[in-house]
Structures are given as C-alpha cells and as structure tokens.
Amino acid sequence: MDGSNAPNLLAVLRDEGPMSRVALGERLELPRAKLSGELGRLVEAGLVAIGGPAASRGGRRSTLVHLADDLRFLGVDVGATSVTVAVTDGRCEVLASESQDCLVRQGPGPVLGTVRTLADQVLGKAPGRLLGAGIGLPGPVSFREGMPVAPPIMPGWDRYPVRDELSGAWGCPVTVDNDVNVMALGERHAGVARSLDDLIFVKIGTGIGCGIVLGGRVYRGVAGTAGDIGHIRLDDYGPACACGEVGCLEAYFGGAALARDALTLARSGRSPALAEQLEHGGTLTAKNVGEAAAAGDFAAANLVREGGRRLGHVVASLVSFLNPGMVVIGGGVSQLGHPLLAEVRSSVYRRSLPLATGNLPIVLSELGTLAGVTGAAWSATDRAFT
Amino acid sequence: MDGSNAPNLLAVLRDEGPMSRVALGERLELPRAKLSGELGRLVEAGLVAIGGPAASRGGRRSTLVHLADDLRFLGVDVGATSVTVAVTDGRCEVLASESQDCLVRQGPGPVLGTVRTLADQVLGKAPGRLLGAGIGLPGPVSFREGMPVAPPIMPGWDRYPVRDELSGAWGCPVTVDNDVNVMALGERHAGVARSLDDLIFVKIGTGIGCGIVLGGRVYRGVAGTAGDIGHIRLDDYGPACACGEVGCLEAYFGGAALARDALTLARSGRSPALAEQLEHGGTLTAKNVGEAAAAGDFAAANLVREGGRRLGHVVASLVSFLNPGMVVIGGGVSQLGHPLLAEVRSSVYRRSLPLATGNLPIVLSELGTLAGVTGAAWSATDRAFT
C-alpha cells in the first residue's frame, strides 16, 4: 500500500498463495534487504503474516509469508430477483455466504437494507478486519462514479450513490460494477477461465448480458455499456421486450421470456409436463422448462433448443468479431445445462471462422451462483492491494 | 533504440512534431543532463537532428529537435485487386505513393515482385535511409511469424514467409499484418480517429472486414482473427459466399456481391442506368452502382440501401457489444458515400443502446486509399522507435 513494490507483493500472495521468503524474493525480483523492508511495513500494517518454516529447498530454511488470516472482503451480487452476499479472505475464498429473494425494482432503500443485513450475518459467521467490498448490479453502471446510470429494470436507482452509501456504512472502500462484469472476473480469477486473458462471459438470467475480459481486465467500452447483448435485435417483427423495443435476444430467451413461453405451452396443452408443474406450483419459471425438458417433454425441449440456437447466432458473431480464448455461459437459465450448451456450441462451431473456433472452449460457469460474489470480492481486493 | 528513454523520445517527435529542447525535456520529464545524453546518442545514430532556434518562450533561446529528414519508411497495402506502396518520413507523412492493379490470387511471386517494383519507384522519388516497412495483406495473418495463415482468397500464400523475404530484400525490419488492422491504425494515428483509444474500422472492399483498436492498440484476438465480420451469417438460406458457406454478410454486400447484383439488374432491365453502363464498359463494379444511385436510378439506390441496412444490423450488434468511441467506414465500396452512411447510421442509432450511441460518430475514412499504407508505415515506425 505504501512501498513501491507492495502492491505487487500483496497481489502475488493473493493469486499464488503462501510462499517462502526466498521464493517471494525471486518471484518479485527483489533483493533480500528490500524485500525485508517491504515485508516489515506490511506486517506492521497487519496485511501480511509470517508463519512457520517453509519446506526446505536445501540450505538455510526459509519462512512462509502469507496474507494475514483476518483480512475480510465482501462480495455482493444483486440480481433482478435475489441478493447474494459473501465474505471472503484475502485470497477471495468464500468463507460464508447468504442469499435472499429480493426484487431489485423495490428500489435502493429496501435492497441495500437487505444487502447490509446479509453482510452483518456473513461477517458474524467469519469475523475479521473488513478491507473492502465489491458489488455487482443488474444494469449499466458508472464504474468511476460508483452508481447505476439509467438502468432499465431498476426504477429509483438512477444515479443513486451506492458506493458512497455502502462505503459510509462499512467504513471501507467499495467498488460498484455491472453484475456480468463481476461474474466474468470471478471465473477469470477463481473459476473455469483461471489465467485466461481474453474471454467472454454470457449471463442468461432474467435478462441477458455479457462480460468481456481482454488482456486480463474487464473491458467496459467508452460509456461503460460494453457487453449489452441482450438488446441486440434479432427480428424487426419479434416479441416485445422490457426495454420498449421488439425482437431483442432477451425477449426471446431471457428468464422472463422462457416463463412466458412456458405458460403458453402449459395452457395450450402442448406441454403436459409444464401443465402439471403449473397446476402444482401455480406459476412457471425457466427452471420448470429445464426440468420438463430433462424429463423428455417435447415442447419444453424444443423451447430450449430454439433459445440456444438464437443465443448461438449472437455468440457466433461475437466469436468472429473478438476471437476470444473462451466463452463461459452462466446465470440462472444456464442451469438448462447440456442441451443448451450443445445448441450454442453447434451454432458457433458451424458459423464462426474455423481459425477462431479451433481452440475455443464453450463451457458452463464453474462458480455458478457464487461467480458474482467472488468476482466482486476480487474487485475489492484489487482496489485494496494496488 | 539504446538508452532507456530513447523510444519514448522518438515516438514523441513522431506524434507531436519538432519541439524545443526545453519543451521536450518537460514532456519526457527528463533532467537536462540526461536529455542531452539521450539526444547526443540519437543524433550520432542519425535518427534525430537539432535545427535552428525555436520560438523563444522568454529567457534563454532553446533549439528545435526533430526527427532526421532522411528517415524513410515503406507502407504497403495489398488488396484483393490492387497494390499500393508509399514512402513516408519518420512522422508517417506520405512523400510519394504508387498504385497498380494486381490480383492477389496470382500468388506471392508476382505480387511481391510488383510490391518491390513500386517500392523502388517511390524510394526513387523520395530517397533517404530506409528504417523499416509495414505491409497489410487481405486475409488472416500471423503477426508474430510475419506470414499469412490459411487466407481464403489468396491461393499460394499460406504460410509464405512474406516478412523474411521483404526484410531480406530491403535490409530493414518488416511488419506483416491484416489489411484492415493497418487501415484502422492509419485512421487512429493520422486520420479521422486521431487520438481516439477505442474504435472499430469497417472495410467494405471486395470483401468485408473490421479492424478493432482498443486502448490505442490493435486487438487481434487469441488466434489473430478478431474482426472477421464478413462471414457473420445473416441468413441460413442466403446467397453462396466465396468462403464456401451461405448467407454471409460479404455474400450480400461485398464488392463482388454488388457487382453480381448490378449485372442482374442491368440484364433484367430493372436498372436503365446500369444497363447503359454495362453496354459502355462491358462490365460492372460496385463503383457503377454508386454512380447509378447518385444519378437517381431507383434499383441501384435500392441496392445501396439494402446493403447498408444489412451492414448496419451487424455494426449495431458490434456497437452494443463493444461500446466503441467511433465507427469508421472505409474501403472501395465506402465510396458509395452518404446514402450508405445514412443507412448504417439509421440502423445503429435505432438498434443499439442509447448510452452506447449517445456520443458515437459513424464516419467515412478520411485517408481513403492511403489509410492502409499510412497505418502500415506507422507499424514500421512503431517497431523501429520502440
């Protein structure tokens, strides 16, 4: 935090774990005296601890350096219909997490109240020294100002000072970002895309969005709206979208669109499985579609295939355009699983340039519901450590 | 080239022009003694010259530092049907250029022969000390290896050692890149996108491609194929494309597609203007379509509108996805001019997120046929100066 090499040192201990003094000195290319000075300052600040002897590599025994055990970061993932809060250690390992149903359209008052309650709960389970927090929101965000900007599905949130309010409440720096960006960061640093520099993360939840990581960093675009693929228009005469336009990808295959189509299939008698689920549960969601499809219901399976095909067309264009190293598919609707993935893969592999798809894994999110909180916590460590 | 601050110094003189010693020292934050040492070495190497006194800013008069007048760089733009070679000074100003019709499908022997002949001609017109050359090729290129890789419209070029052959012939370093990437660099450093960090350059020539500049550098993707938008599929049942697939954007609106549609319109009698041009010239190209449309021919104007609309759909997706700071449209077919631009703009502004289009200029290339050679020469200076 103060010395010129300190940031690097903390980030290395976060990304690579405990390390002997000798290995750390070699890794950072620091002479012994300089390393000792840096470490002294960081130990005094309580950020780093020096533990028992490390495994000997021959010669004098070295001691093990690691991030202090009591460092804590909060990762918050606000979705359209739920809030998840996790507390992590300095290495972004989730120590405790809590989730609660919560409609983002209730506005910032009740939602941030829920966030703070859940944060108290997880910090109670894994107490320590809170150094920072990160939060992902389901809409466009001004990263610099730490607030949402004209978010379509978040009435009352426009330019609400989320960062400043939470930072005041928790007494630590807070970073605010788009939910898909933090999910992409989670997979990049702790999930399936670990160590990959160029990837796209496609989230299919209530809405559809895309996080872009280039050169290891989130690419946000000039106005911070990069990755907004949910409102790419597929058809000038398609179904109406929540954004006010028609024919958007999201209007075909977001969670809301799937629920709508599932209801139609159930009520028209074309899907016996969905009709039965509707009778039992009183309502239908994307999850029901997945279950019905898995149980062999033809109409439900067809819905997944059609949606996957449309999503695949968009992803194929993105792959041709950006030639990423990996495509990760996440978000609630991604629980449709293999049939969805198979459709997307087949579209991309058939439609994109062979050179661009030659070594392109198209995979499901590994962190699942924890991708967002993990990435948000990583953002917070990045701010605290650099 | 040798001192640790030299690269910066040369790049500053290239990008900002002649400068007083005092201004240069301030710009590079170098103490006077250190600057003198650097300058001494660069003057001795013949890279920098120190000219007459600069305008006085009060106090002691300072002298003007500039790149040596005899520095020369070659910029080469190989298109599908023509070759352009330019020689520039150290600031990438074109001193002389020559163009010649030349089919890239003749193979590397004849085409590189033409390149070398044209290079001799332009170097004869503006002789000096050749420090480097850059070349853009109309297909996928391995930038690192300096050769085309599996280029679809360039038989005989696959893995041909373009860089090594030209570097041997000219006795200087040579950089090999995709033609669209060097056009994007040209506009970025000397054209309409000067000083913009994030932009996309869409080339509509015989084929269609896209150069992506992010953070001021060309983004190439993991396998070097980023920007391949010509083969984004618009329709599973569309016209056949040269790549072997159907319904690609290029199959609707590349120069070859326009020529094909123009012939159909002329022969079927639906376009009197094109029929007359066919009778006079014996053949039709995209240029004829532009002329006929400008002269008020309904069918030709419709062809431009339809093509612009299709291109606009693809560009709208890219804008939503990447949120760039500018879209530049160039290449031969861009000479269709305003009607084309109007159609693309209307698609993008109607279909992309308002936040992403709020400050988004969609403009024609400023350097026109010299965009490629200028960007290729810039690549060469970048390699020589850094």
Side-chain angles (χ1 to χ4, degrees):
Chain A
M1 320 266 286
D2 36 20
S4 64
N5 290 287
N8 230 333
L9 199 158
L10 293 170
V12 164
L13 292 177
R14 173 193 60 194
D15 298 337
E16 303 180 22
M19 213 177 262
S20 74
R21 263 175 193 269
V22 173
L24 193 59
E26 283 168 6
R27 178 73 178 70
L28 297 172
E29 297 175 25
L30 274 186
R32 190 189 294 185
K34 193 134 189 230
L35 178 66
S36 285
E38 297 284 0
L39 283 176
R41 274 194 293 279
L42 291 170
V43 168
E44 200 163 316
L47 293 169
V48 160
I50 296 182
S56 169
R57 306 197 303 176
R60 217 149 59 101
R61 290 176 76 85
S62 185
T63 43
L64 210 57
V65 181
H66 55 89
L67 291 174
D69 290 331
D70 66 342
L71 306 189
R72 293 293 177 267
F73 293 90
L74 284 170
V76 180
D77 183 7
V78 175
T81 59
S82 69
V83 167
T84 306
V85 179
V87 59
T88 78
D89 61 14
R91 300 201 59 204
C92 302
E93 292 282 342
V94 173
L95 303 173
S97 75
E98 288 289 343
S99 236
Q100 192 174 303
D101 285 352
C102 173
L103 296 173
V104 75
R105 63 167 186 264
Q106 292 176 94
V111 174
L112 294 183
T114 303
V115 165
R116 289 172 62 179
T117 306
L118 295 180
D120 288 343
Q121 288 174 19
V122 294
L123 283 170
K125 288 188 196 167
R129 201 147 52 98
L130 186 61
L131 286 192
I135 177 167
L137 297 174
V141 161
S142 167
F143 183 72
R144 201 175 48 76
E145 299 171 283
M147 52 176 62
V149 179
I153 62 162
M154 299 168 65
W157 287 82
D158 189 22
R159 304 198 67 77
Y160 188 87
V162 175
R163 179 186 61 201
D164 296 346
E165 177 173 319
L166 291 179
S167 176
W170 290 332
C172 68
V174 172
T175 60
V176 180
D177 206 337
N178 177 263
D179 59 348
V180 196
N181 289 344
V182 298
M183 288 177 189
L185 280 177
E187 295 292 343
R188 158 77 173 84
H189 290 284
V192 66
R194 182 139 195 174
S195 89
L196 283 184
D197 277 346
D198 302 290
L199 68 116
I200 60 182
F201 181 100
V202 178
K203 186 203 79 168
I204 323 161
T206 304
I208 295 182
C210 175
I212 307 168
V213 173
L214 298 180
R217 316 288 306 177
V218 170
Y219 178 79
R220 299 173 202 286
V222 169
T225 72
D228 179 43
I229 62 168
H231 303 285
I232 287 180
R233 191 186 294 185
L234 301 185
D235 189 339
D236 285 344
Y237 304 95
C241 183
C243 73
E245 295 289 337
V246 296
C248 302
L249 173 60
E250 197 168 299
Y252 283 103
F253 193 51
L258 275 177
R260 172 201 67 203
D261 291 348
L263 264 183
T264 308
L265 290 180
R267 288 180 179 150
S268 69
R270 273 178 289 166
S271 165
L274 286 171
E276 198 186 312
Q277 292 190 35
L278 178 61
E279 202 176 328
H280 277 73
T283 178
L284 288 174
T285 68
K287 198 155 167 276
N288 299 111
V289 177
E291 287 167 7
D297 184 88
F298 179 78
N302 209 34
L303 213 54
V304 175
R305 259 199 306 276
E306 276 295 295
R309 193 179 57 80
R310 288 208 170 84
L311 176 67
H313 289 187
V314 170
V315 174
S317 296
L318 305 187
V319 165
S320 289
F321 181 55
L322 212 59
N323 183 203
M326 180 180 273
V327 176
V328 184
I329 311 234
V333 175
S334 72
Q335 290 161 15
L336 297 179
H338 183 72
L340 168 63
L341 211 53
E343 264 318 308
V344 173
R345 281 187 182 134
S346 117
S347 280
V348 173
Y349 293 145
R350 204 173 56 232
R351 284 170 169 250
S352 300
L353 199 73
L355 261 177
T357 57
N359 288 299
L360 179 72
I362 301 176
V363 298
L364 289 178
S365 160
E366 182 181 305
L367 301 176
T369 54
L370 293 180
V373 291
T374 305
W378 190 90
S379 272
T381 64
D382 204 40
R383 193 181 185 296
F385 290 170
T386 56
Chain B
M1 323 264 286
D2 34 22
S4 64
N5 290 286
N8 230 333
L9 198 158
L10 293 170
V12 165
L13 292 176
R14 172 193 62 193
D15 297 339
E16 302 180 22
M19 214 177 261
S20 74
R21 265 175 191 270
V22 173
L24 193 58
E26 284 168 6
R27 180 72 178 69
L28 298 173
E29 297 174 26
L30 274 186
R32 191 190 292 185
K34 192 134 190 230
L35 179 67
S36 285
E38 298 282 1
L39 282 176
R41 273 194 293 278
L42 291 170
V43 168
E44 200 164 312
L47 293 171
V48 160
I50 297 182
S56 169
R57 304 199 302 177
R60 218 148 59 102
R61 290 176 77 84
S62 183
T63 44
L64 211 56
V65 181
H66 56 89
L67 290 175
D69 289 332
D70 66 342
L71 305 190
R72 293 293 176 269
F73 293 90
L74 283 171
V76 180
D77 183 6
V78 174
T81 60
S82 69
V83 168
T84 306
V85 179
V87 60
T88 78
D89 60 14
R91 301 201 58 207
C92 303
E93 292 282 344
V94 173
L95 303 173
S97 76
E98 288 290 342
S99 236
Q100 192 175 304
D101 286 351
C102 173
L103 297 174
V104 76
R105 64 168 185 263
Q106 291 176 93
V111 174
L112 294 183
T114 302
V115 166
R116 289 173 61 179
T117 305
L118 296 179
D120 288 344
Q121 289 175 17
V122 295
L123 283 170
K125 287 186 194 166
R129 201 149 52 97
L130 186 60
L131 287 192
I135 178 167
L137 296 175
V141 161
S142 166
F143 183 72
R144 199 175 48 78
E145 299 172 285
M147 53 176 61
V149 178
I153 64 162
M154 298 168 67
W157 288 82
D158 189 21
R159 303 199 68 78
Y160 189 87
V162 175
R163 178 186 62 199
D164 296 346
E165 177 172 319
L166 291 178
S167 176
W170 290 333
C172 67
V174 172
T175 60
V176 180
D177 205 338
N178 177 262
D179 58 347
V180 196
N181 288 345
V182 297
M183 289 177 188
L185 279 177
E187 295 292 343
R188 159 76 172 87
H189 290 283
V192 65
R194 183 139 194 173
S195 89
L196 283 185
D197 278 346
D198 301 290
L199 67 116
I200 60 180
F201 180 100
V202 178
K203 185 202 81 167
I204 322 162
T206 304
I208 295 182
C210 175
I212 307 169
V213 174
L214 299 180
R217 316 290 303 177
V218 170
Y219 178 78
R220 298 174 202 285
V222 169
T225 72
D228 179 43
I229 62 168
H231 303 286
I232 287 180
R233 192 186 292 184
L234 303 185
D235 189 338
D236 284 343
Y237 304 95
C241 181
C243 74
E245 295 289 337
V246 298
C248 302
L249 173 60
E250 198 169 300
Y252 283 105
F253 194 52
L258 275 175
R260 171 201 67 203
D261 291 346
L263 266 183
T264 307
L265 290 179
R267 287 180 179 150
S268 68
R270 273 178 289 164
S271 164
L274 286 171
E276 198 185 312
Q277 291 190 34
L278 178 60
E279 201 176 329
H280 276 73
T283 180
L284 288 174
T285 68
K287 195 155 169 278
N288 299 112
V289 177
E291 287 167 7
D297 184 88
F298 178 79
N302 210 33
L303 213 51
V304 175
R305 260 199 306 274
E306 276 294 294
R309 192 178 58 79
R310 288 209 171 83
L311 177 67
H313 288 188
V314 170
V315 174
S317 296
L318 304 187
V319 165
S320 290
F321 180 55
L322 212 60
N323 182 204
M326 179 179 273
V327 176
V328 184
I329 311 240
V333 175
S334 73
Q335 289 162 17
L336 297 177
H338 183 72
L340 167 63
L341 212 52
E343 212 47 57
V344 173
R345 281 188 182 132
S346 116
S347 280
V348 174
Y349 293 145
R350 204 174 56 233
R351 284 171 168 250
S352 301
L353 199 74
L355 260 177
T357 57
N359 287 299
L360 179 73
I362 301 176
V363 299
L364 289 179
S365 160
E366 183 181 306
L367 302 174
T369 54
L370 292 181
V373 291
T374 304
W378 190 90
S379 274
T381 64
D382 203 40
R383 192 180 186 299
F385 291 171
T386 56

